[in-house]
Amino acid sequence: MPEKSICRYETDSKSDSELLRIRAHHLCCIQGFQGYGYSPVFVANMRAVISDLEVFPSRPIKLVTVCDAICASCPSKMECTVQESVLSQKIRQMDLTVLKILKLDVGTVLNADEAFRLINSKLNKASHVEEVCGTCKWRQKCLWYIQAGKQESEV
């Protein structure tokens, strides 16, 4: 069940155009990003999204399981947009796993800072991290993956 104290839904007063659409699993990626990426354009876009969220931490975001503000510059966007593709299904499953762990629904709207607090407090078991990020090609360079995987063993 969604945590209603921090969540808003699509029916709220914010219009969809005011919201930053973020894939659920990208809440992890944003925190672990070091400047690696699929292309220079992708890296620049990722940095812009991260910068926006740092400047406006209370910016409302909408959690989605489809291409988002980060995917906009991804060279694999066309393949990922095809909902039946293996890549699309694999990435969507990462999003759904995050949402399940967070107990949120697709389309949940919440402030970015709340989303990051939530993901860091609830997605904190090595098994969860592996379930979400285990097949990601960037995991060995992702600071969030590396740190989150260590948390359980330190406790």
Side-chain angles (χ1 to χ4, degrees), residues 24-69:
H25 84 273
H26 280 162
L27 294 173
C28 307
C29 304
I30 287 168
Q31 297 179 87
F33 182 71
Q34 293 191 76
Y36 301 102
Y38 301 100
S39 70
V41 172
F42 175 86
V43 170
N45 182 60
M46 179 70 133
R47 284 192 173 128
V49 169
I50 291 170
S51 177
D52 179 74
L53 294 173
E54 289 172 346
V55 172
F56 303 107
S58 61
R59 179 176 170 93
I61 62 171
K62 180 176 185 175
L63 298 178
V64 298
T65 60
V66 293
C67 288
D68 67 357

Side-chain angles (χ1 to χ4, degrees), residues 2 7-10 61-63 99 104-110:
C7 299
R8 293 187 307 270
Y9 295 90
E10 296 179 65
I61 62 171
K62 180 176 185 175
L63 298 178
L99 290 170
L104 297 175
D105 298 319
V106 174
T108 296
V109 175
L110 64 164

Side-chain angles (χ1 to χ4, degrees), residues 10-29:
E10 296 179 65
T11 56
D12 283 357
S13 60
K14 290 280 181 195
S15 75
D16 225 28
S17 62
E18 295 177 43
L19 302 173
L20 185 63
R21 295 169 155 277
I22 298 289
R23 294 191 84 123
H25 84 273
H26 280 162
L27 294 173
C28 307
C29 304

Side-chain angles (χ1 to χ4, degrees), residues 75-94:
S76 299
K77 182 180 175 189
M78 287 301 283
E79 182 181 351
C80 188
T81 305
V82 178
Q83 294 302 314
E84 296 81 32
S85 77
V86 172
L87 177 61
S88 176
Q89 290 175 11
K90 179 176 122 182
I91 294 171
R92 185 168 191 274
Q93 189 55 53
M94 292 167 73

